[in-house]
Amino acid sequence: MTRLLTMDAPDERNRLDAMAQGVIGKPLDRPDGPAKTTGTAKYAAEYNIPGCVEGVLVTAAISKGRVASIDDSSVMSMPGVIAVIADERMTARSAQGGAGKSPVRQIDRVEYWGQPVALVVAESFEQARDAAKHLRIEYQADEDAIVDQHDADAPVEPYGDPVVQGDLGHVMKQAAFAVDVTYTTECHNSAPMEPHASIAEWDGDKLTVHTSLQMIKYNVKEMADALGLSTEKVRLLSPYVGGGFGSKLGVSVEGAAAAVAAIKLKRPVRVVLLRQQVFQCVMRRSETTQRLRLAADKDGRLIGFGHEAKVSNLPDEDFAEPVTQASEFLYPGKNRTLRVDLARIHLVTAGSVRAPGEAVGMQCLESAMDELANQIGIDPVELRLRNIPERHPSKDIPYSSRKLAECLRDGAKRFGWSADRKPAQLRDGEWWIGTGMATACRVHNLNEAQARVTLRADGTAEVASDMTDIGTGTYAVLSQIAGEMLGLDIKDVSVKLGDSNFPPGAGSGGSWGAPSTGSAVFVACEAIRAELAKRLGCTETELTLRDGFATAGNRRVALTDVLSGDHFEEVGHFKAGKITDAFSAAMYGAFFAEVGVNAYTGEVRVRRFQGTFGFGRPLNAKTATSQCMGGMVWGIGSALTEDLVFDKRNGHIVNPDLAEYHLPVNLDVPKLDVVLLDERDPAASPLQAKGVGELGICGAAGAICNAIYHASGVRVRSYPITPDKVLAELPEP
Amino acid sequence: MRPFLYSRADGLDHAVQLAREGARPIAGGTNLLDLMKLQIEAPERLVDINRLPLGGIEPDGEGVRIGALVSNSACAADERIRRDYPVLSRAILAGATFQLRNKATTAGNLCQRTRCYYFYNIDTPCNKRRPGSGCSAIGGFNRIHAILGTSDACIATYPGDMAVALAALNAQVEITTAQGRKRHVPVRGFHRLPGDTPEKDNVLEPGDMITAVALPPPAGGRQIYRKVRERSSYAFALVSIAAVVRMEGGKIAAASLAFGGLAHKPWHDPRIDELLAGAMPSDALADKAADLLLEGAQGYGDNDFKIPLARRALKAVLREATGDAA
Ligand SMILES: Cc1cc2nc3c(=O)[nH]c(=O)nc-3n(C[C@H](O)[C@H](O)[C@H](O)COP(=O)(O)OP(=O)(O)OC[C@H]3O[C@@H](n4cnc5c(N)ncnc54)[C@H](O)[C@@H]3O)c2cc1C
Ligand code: SF4
């Protein structure tokens, strides 16, 4: 049976808190942990399939043009080489998140440096890689490839509908205080630990692919569309995903290549992207140029607000980094201008990288807010508190639960925040010491989801959905939701994920995975509870389930007895209905950072980093804390080191590996103090939970930028804030 | 990776013989294997030298002899090295990661190749990788590149840390030639400037095998290794300085400084050591030293910042070395 819940209004019932098991929200270890730490959890490339051969993609060494010819004979006599494949079903790009249709194929038309143009298949990986490097390809390069968004010839188009209210230009002139600044951020790559990988098997009729993707229900369609197959003929398996961060939202370039090869060769084919290819041909976060205009009255209340961004993408891509997403509702200001312009250039596809929009939008906005606070001469925490709008400034709708003020106050207190903001006051040996803060904000998204819950005759339960766990804790939180609702120890709940044969979940993306798929599990469990209540002659709300026993009135019966040999299977189907337009729902938080800036070298080290977050009900305090920590680490990277550099002359990635694309290392990360506020948001989901996978980044880098200013008096408006940029403004030591 | 022949040498003579026949030594493999996977290097024959008895740290007169196969971890942790040559220990620990240092060897570290981005991308021109093809770093992205001793053919740096400390300590590289003869080359003269032949990183001739590095008697004094980089670990130096400075009665009695991240070799300018010897420490002195260091410095755009950075880092090091902490 399928039970549908369409959420049109806040769900005030708060059913989870009425349950008795007491596992929801608990900081439980993830059930998949031991398998992962002992290496028995199998990732996509790790299946040993008899007869499997190895494919390596060959990528373009021009930025734009045509593949004139591929000389197969240049490699076919090399040891082990089986085939050179350049087939119109192969994809030249990765699919955007939620596309549900094939990404651009046309691998013979090169649109960016590093684009796949062929696949070489050999008996061993080393043979295939060697041959891939030797394959002779003639290109007809176009001379007009534009690879820089600042190139005057780059075509630019507005993206989406700009918000224009009142007259921002006018209030900027009139306001008691006004900040008009431009910040920039560079391209980022999510570089998940597990590279993109697929093993494709073709049985003559059906395709099975072990792969590493985030949103199976869309991925099946994307793969089927690319290959010209019907979706019933495609099965995808991604039970474990070694990190995704958006780069695995859509099918990536190796999947269709492996499938085409398997179909042609009638042998299983494995294709794993080389680390350099993970950088070159999957997805980048666009570089951004952001102009921020903030106008405040004499009390520091915003009367004008402008956030205008320029980002880039390849021609024909529907995605533009939604830089101003949180700016639409975070701050007031009747006079508003928000817009995103999209430059069309020939660099690898720009797409979703963890917290698209807010990750880079918030860090620049929050730096500009710090500049405003300094100009006014008030505590930046106070400036934020004074600027929490009553209603959505453009849509005039209410906010759902919003704990921003609590986060700001709690964080400031825990951190020991000082309102004295005079810069360059404190020295510790060679280091200037300073503090900075920023607001965290990320929109709440929901996605349609289904999950099947089976309560077996033996009193254990199984949850199944094509939902994925990309390292975030899905296995844990879904077992906790089912355990709470059905009164079971989570050891008695098994969760099966990442198989397209299971009901379609929400997929992992946009922080919606847990609240959406979790709600589907919740709905299925409610249906099962109703069945149990019927057997016990009570209503569902009168039923208490705990530790495998059902209590109704003064009767306590073992679940196995209630079931007496039967089992219940229900599919929960969750849809966000009118609720999404009725409220402005988002996750909030506050960051506080202390940094040291070396007075000689301009090196910056984060010494303390604190984050307080409110995102509805935490479903598992441990996995949620980990998500926040991970986000803050990303914030450190975004603030100080991460810079995917493209050669301005031809658009190839200069630093496509983890030696030169600098993520923060352990030593760069101080103890992270994460606080989760206990919150319920009835408008967010029936669980009263929102998402947390991305919140920890959204603004984090701004706190560091602001701390650098406070420490040293140097305001760098170009991320990442590397020593050379700080040095340029530092006084003689 | 291209197919290659692999042999394991069971003694130095055997290794030398294989090297004479054209086999390339492989020690920890942390650099060579990466380069082979990317086909930046494609040796047809490898000689695995890991079984050779070159893994000891022994007294050598009043100095110390570090075998070619001593791991970076072992060298940095060695009691004598930490006591008598702390700058070496510090430089090694400032490099790479635990895991890499466990594998990396003394000789392999000396011979590690540049991290120039274009050297690593076989689809772009690079004179070091393919002589005569051009230098992509000039006019390209050159944040990590050299500002001293560059040529029109190549502006790459020698990226390592250990050798910078060895240059400050004035260590000698012990080499066994293809003919089985021994020769010694000072570390200061081991790496070369790119000139017209950037494909040659150092003075090793075909078939040469490094067998040890010899440290002179301990120099005493304060020993500092300062490495400037944008993240705290697992990153090559933007600028690094190894300093051995001995003070007497408020004056600098002797100083030996070497610089990393600035050139195709660990940079040692004897004029700086001479300037410092016998002088009273002061900021003006530091500036004079920096003037000498940066006399011929040339930036290429993205690396222009290394010029002021080197000056400031030198000031910090001299203040620290001569007692004025901050
Ligand atoms: C990501 C990363 C980060 C790193 N960071 C740093 C850093 O911050 N600082 C730093 O200094 N280093 C760093 N390293 C480099 C590391 O120190 C070197 O890879 C290592 O020292 C090489 O030693 P090996 O024994 O593994 O050499 P191998 O890879 O075995 O050999 C390197 C070269 O030396 C030659 N060779 C080896 N032994 C001999 C011999 N006895 N005689 C003649 N030739 C020989 C080989 O033929 C080869 O050409 C880093 C490396 C990586 C991968
Ligand atoms: S700097 Fe040297 S190593 Fe780099 S591209 Fe130029 S020639 Fe090659």
Side-chain angles (χ1 to χ4, degrees):
Chain A
M1 289 277 284
T2 298
R3 180 191 276 210
L4 172 70
L5 174 73
T6 304
M7 195 169 174
D8 288 325
D11 189 336
E12 305 280 359
R13 299 173 304 151
N14 192 7
R15 292 296 289 140
L16 275 173
D17 278 334
M19 298 295 133
Q21 188 63 25
V23 289
I24 199 69
K26 289 279 159 1
L28 301 183
D29 289 346
R30 49 183 81 198
D32 45 319
K36 285 179 174 168
T37 48
T38 55
T40 49
K42 273 196 190 171
Y43 289 85
E46 297 179 330
Y47 289 83
N48 280 325
I49 296 170
C52 185
V53 292
E54 310 289 336
V56 170
L57 284 170
V58 184
T59 59
I62 60 167
S63 280
K64 187 164 178 278
R66 242 171 32 78
V67 175
S69 67
I70 297 179
D71 179 6
D72 295 8
S73 70
S74 60
V75 299
M76 284 309 292
S77 59
M78 291 176 69
V81 174
I82 298 167
V84 174
I85 299 174
D87 187 285
E88 59 194 11
R89 291 167 291 180
M90 285 163 62
T91 63
R93 306 178 190 177
S94 294
Q96 296 287 353
K101 61 182 194 324
S102 172
V104 171
R105 276 164 290 192
Q106 289 174 313
I107 53 166
D108 58 345
R109 214 182 71 200
V110 178
E111 301 272 13
Y112 63 94
W113 184 296
Q115 175 192 307
V117 291
L119 181 78
V120 175
V121 184
E123 296 291 343
S124 79
F125 167 71
E126 284 75 12
Q127 290 167 334
R129 186 173 54 182
D130 188 18
K133 293 211 187 285
H134 279 89
L135 185 65
R136 234 186 341 262
I137 298 178
E138 298 285 335
Y139 296 101
Q140 228 167 53
D142 295 348
E143 293 305 319
D144 64 344
I146 295 171
V147 296
D148 181 1
Q149 70 152 274
H150 303 295
D151 190 317
D153 292 331
V156 178
E157 62 202 60
Y159 188 81
D161 294 325
V163 174
V164 183
Q165 285 169 231
D167 187 344
L168 179 60
H170 181 68
V171 291
M172 284 293 290
K173 283 190 222 112
Q174 300 266 303
F177 303 100
V179 162
D180 182 350
V181 284
T182 299
Y183 279 78
T184 57
T185 65
E186 301 303 326
C187 293
H188 295 159
N189 190 288
S190 49
M193 185 145 54
E194 179 202 22
H196 303 68
S198 292
I199 305 176
E201 286 179 275
W202 173 250
D203 71 1
D205 176 47
K206 280 203 175 107
L207 178 75
T208 304
V209 189
H210 294 276
T211 186
S212 180
L213 295 169
Q214 295 177 228
M215 302 212 292
I216 302 300
K217 69 178 174 192
Y218 302 107
N219 304 141
V220 167
K221 292 183 189 160
E222 289 149 9
M223 185 70 91
D225 186 28
L227 300 171
L229 296 173
S230 70
T231 49
E232 297 81 60
K233 302 286 184 194
V234 176
R235 180 167 179 207
L236 300 183
L237 293 158
S238 288
Y240 297 110
V241 178
F245 311 112
S247 73
K248 297 171 180 171
L249 286 176
V251 289
S252 95
V253 286
E254 90 296 336
V260 168
I263 292 168
K264 285 197 162 195
L265 301 174
K266 302 188 173 57
R267 290 178 73 171
V269 178
R270 169 172 23 227
V271 182
V272 182
L273 292 190
L274 311 177
R275 177 54 70 188
Q276 287 78 6
Q277 294 176 335
V278 171
F279 282 87
Q280 281 166 348
C281 51
V282 182
M283 232 12 93
R284 69 186 163 100
R285 187 200 298 287
S286 173
E287 74 290 18
T288 71
T289 307
Q290 304 181 37
R291 181 180 185 198
L292 287 138
R293 284 184 286 170
L294 305 172
D297 66 16
K298 62 178 194 343
D299 299 323
R301 292 199 167 72
L302 285 166
I303 52 174
F305 184 95
H307 194 172
E308 293 150 285
K310 189 169 155 195
V311 303
S312 72
N313 208 341
L314 278 165
D316 310 322
E317 289 298 320
D318 288 338
F319 178 90
E321 182 78 21
V323 177
T324 59
Q325 199 157 255
S327 296
E328 287 177 19
F329 61 85
L330 178 59
Y331 291 122
K334 284 209 177 65
N335 302 281
R336 305 178 80 74
T337 302
L338 305 174
R339 64 180 287 149
V340 175
D341 286 323
L342 176 57
R344 296 296 188 179
I345 57 173
H346 290 271
L347 299 183
V348 58
T349 320
S352 294
V353 177
R354 200 174 184 184
E358 286 89 328
V360 284
M362 282 296 295
Q363 72 189 49
C364 296
L365 169 57
E366 287 302 286
S367 302
M369 282 293 280
D370 197 61
E371 297 200 54
L372 180 64
N374 291 336
Q375 193 188 101
I376 303 172
I378 63 170
D379 180 356
V381 174
E382 179 57 28
L383 178 67
R384 267 73 171 188
L385 288 169
R386 281 184 203 175
N387 284 289
I388 299 179
E390 292 285 316
R391 290 173 74 81
H392 189 294
S394 305
K395 294 183 184 157
D396 194 31
I397 52 172
Y399 292 89
S400 74
S401 173
R402 178 179 48 168
K403 290 237 185 270
L404 174 55
E406 290 85 341
C407 289
L408 288 163
R409 292 202 179 97
D410 173 276
K413 200 161 132 216
R414 274 184 79 92
F415 183 79
W417 176 254
S418 155
D420 182 3
R421 305 308 298 155
K422 200 157 169 241
Q425 298 299 303
L426 191 63
R427 265 298 265 276
D428 176 4
E430 292 185 0
W431 299 85
W432 292 105
I433 310 301
T435 56
M437 58 80 54
T439 289
C441 182
R442 169 74 175 152
V443 289
H444 170 54
N445 295 304
L446 288 169
N447 193 16
E448 185 173 355
Q450 296 185 38
R452 186 181 69 219
V453 179
T454 310
L455 181 60
R456 303 190 191 100
D458 64 1
T460 65
E462 179 191 273
V463 175
S465 168
D466 80 356
M467 175 66 191
T468 49
D469 185 326
I470 60 172
T472 44
T474 313
Y475 282 105
V477 301
L478 295 188
S479 69
Q480 281 169 279
I481 293 166
E484 191 65 49
M485 292 296 290
L486 300 177
L488 298 175
D489 189 297
I490 66 155
K491 283 191 213 72
D492 292 325
V493 182
S494 60
V495 178
K496 302 224 163 105
L497 300 177
D499 181 341
S500 60
N501 281 355
F502 296 147
S508 300
S511 295
W512 66 48
S516 307
T517 312
S519 291
V521 171
F522 169 87
V523 172
C525 290
E526 275 200 305
I528 291 174
R529 288 175 56 86
E531 295 288 336
L532 291 169
K534 216 187 290 167
R535 289 206 172 180
L536 287 163
C538 64
T539 66
E540 191 261 326
T541 47
E542 284 162 357
L543 177 71
T544 302
L545 297 177
R546 186 172 175 189
D547 294 335
F549 285 86
T551 310
N554 54 8
R555 283 175 62 206
R556 183 165 182 269
V557 192
L559 265 186
T560 44
D561 291 339
V562 184
L563 290 161
S564 66
D566 296 335
H567 71 273
F568 293 130
E569 182 183 294
E570 297 284 348
V571 173
H573 185 173
F574 172 75
K575 272 186 182 172
K578 299 195 184 99
I579 194 76
T580 45
D581 292 329
F583 291 88
S584 173
M587 295 75 84
Y588 292 89
F591 301 103
F592 293 85
E594 178 183 301
V595 306
V597 177
N598 191 283
Y600 291 90
T601 61
E603 290 162 292
V604 176
R605 300 289 182 256
V606 182
R607 296 158 63 110
R608 286 199 293 142
F609 206 2
Q610 204 264 324
T612 301
F613 303 101
F615 48 92
R617 174 201 301 281
L619 295 167
N620 176 322
K622 188 173 193 174
T623 57
T625 301
S626 295
Q627 287 299 306
C628 294
M629 287 180 163
M632 288 163 73
V633 173
W634 276 53
I636 296 173
S638 188
L640 300 180
T641 57
E642 287 187 52
D643 183 355
L644 189 66
V645 181
F646 290 83
D647 190 297
K648 292 265 187 301
R649 296 165 298 188
N650 57 22
H652 81 267
I653 299 179
V654 169
N655 53 348
D657 60 42
L658 295 168
E660 293 301 336
Y661 180 79
H662 285 174
L663 302 167
V665 296
N666 277 335
L667 258 184
D668 295 316
V669 182
K671 181 176 178 300
L672 300 173
D673 183 19
V674 169
V675 176
L676 314 180
L677 297 185
D678 205 21
E679 182 187 1
R680 303 285 181 266
D681 189 343
S685 64
L687 312 173
Q688 305 205 343
K690 293 183 267 201
V692 67
E694 301 168 309
L695 180 60
I697 322 171
C698 304
I704 294 169
C705 171
N706 299 338
I708 292 170
Y709 173 76
H710 183 238
S712 64
V714 177
R715 175 66 69 178
V716 179
R717 298 195 185 88
S718 141
Y719 289 100
I721 306 175
T722 45
D724 48 316
K725 297 176 191 169
V726 180
L727 191 67
E729 305 293 327
L730 274 181
E732 190 60 31
Chain B
M1 191 176 281
R2 295 198 200 154
F4 55 87
L5 263 174
Y6 167 90
S7 356
R8 182 185 287 149
D10 46 25
L12 185 59
D13 292 346
H14 186 204
V16 167
Q17 180 206 326
L18 290 166
R20 191 163 53 230
E21 291 164 9
R24 183 73 175 279
I26 179 161
T30 60
N31 191 219
L32 187 55
L33 285 177
D34 276 0
L35 295 169
M36 287 171 68
K37 288 180 199 167
L38 296 166
Q39 301 206 346
I40 295 155
E41 299 230 40
E44 282 168 12
R45 300 187 59 176
L46 288 186
V47 46
D48 180 344
I49 58 171
N50 284 292
R51 301 256 170 118
L52 302 190
L54 302 173
I57 302 179
E58 299 140 16
D60 178 25
E62 284 176 61
V64 168
R65 184 175 174 275
I66 304 165
L69 288 171
V70 173
S71 77
N72 282 178
S73 298
C75 185
D78 183 82
E79 207 188 306
R80 277 158 302 180
I81 302 295
R82 285 170 53 197
R83 186 187 60 224
D84 296 336
Y85 307 94
V87 67
L88 177 57
S89 189
R90 287 180 188 140
I92 291 172
L93 293 176
T97 61
F98 273 112
Q99 295 91 330
L100 284 161
R101 293 193 298 265
N102 286 341
K103 286 301 284 176
T105 63
T106 308
N109 194 321
L110 275 175
C111 298
Q112 66 175 290
R113 308 211 64 191
T114 186
R115 307 304 290 201
C116 170
Y117 320 107
Y118 302 94
F119 177 69
Y120 267 80
N121 181 345
I122 60 168
D123 291 326
T124 59
C126 166
N127 286 325
K128 188 184 270 300
R129 186 170 22 78
R130 204 165 356 112
S133 61
C135 171
S136 297
I138 298 175
F141 186 67
N142 45 41
R143 176 177 173 75
I144 57 174
H145 288 74
I147 54 169
L148 295 173
T150 53
S151 73
D152 291 345
C154 179
I155 60 171
T157 59
Y158 166 77
D161 294 296
M162 184 191 81
V164 180
L166 291 176
L169 291 167
N170 199 12
Q172 303 276 321
V173 185
E174 180 190 293
I175 297 166
T176 300
T177 68
Q179 289 70 39
R181 279 199 312 275
K182 256 194 192 166
R183 72 188 168 107
H184 284 85
V185 176
V187 168
R188 291 174 182 172
F190 178 75
H191 297 93
R192 46 188 302 287
L193 291 179
D196 295 333
T197 49
E199 66 277 15
K200 273 182 74 64
D201 292 348
N202 53 47
V203 299
L204 286 182
E205 295 295 333
D208 277 358
M209 189 88 68
I210 298 173
T211 40
V213 167
L215 297 176
R222 275 199 204 168
Q223 304 202 355
I224 293 168
Y225 189 73
R226 183 171 188 119
K227 179 172 178 180
V228 183
R229 46 186 162 169
E230 59 215 25
R231 67 178 173 188
S232 320
S233 171
Y234 198 43
F236 292 90
L238 293 170
V239 170
S240 73
I241 303 178
V244 179
V245 177
R246 194 157 50 77
M247 300 290 291
E248 257 171 38
K251 279 190 179 165
I252 300 172
S256 176
L257 267 59
F259 301 83
L262 301 182
H264 198 259
K265 57 185 289 188
W267 192 261
H268 174 257
D269 186 334
R271 295 176 306 166
I272 297 175
D273 297 352
E274 284 159 24
L275 169 78
L276 297 176
M280 282 295 288
S282 71
D283 284 353
L285 183 69
D287 267 331
K288 263 196 216 150
D291 288 343
L292 288 175
L293 172 70
L294 298 165
E295 206 174 60
Q298 185 192 348
Y300 290 85
D302 304 305
N303 69 348
D304 292 351
F305 73 95
K306 284 190 175 184
I307 297 174
L309 180 59
R311 177 175 291 277
R312 297 170 74 110
L314 177 54
K315 195 179 218 176
V317 165
L318 284 178
R319 282 186 181 170
E320 189 184 340
T322 57
D324 188 354

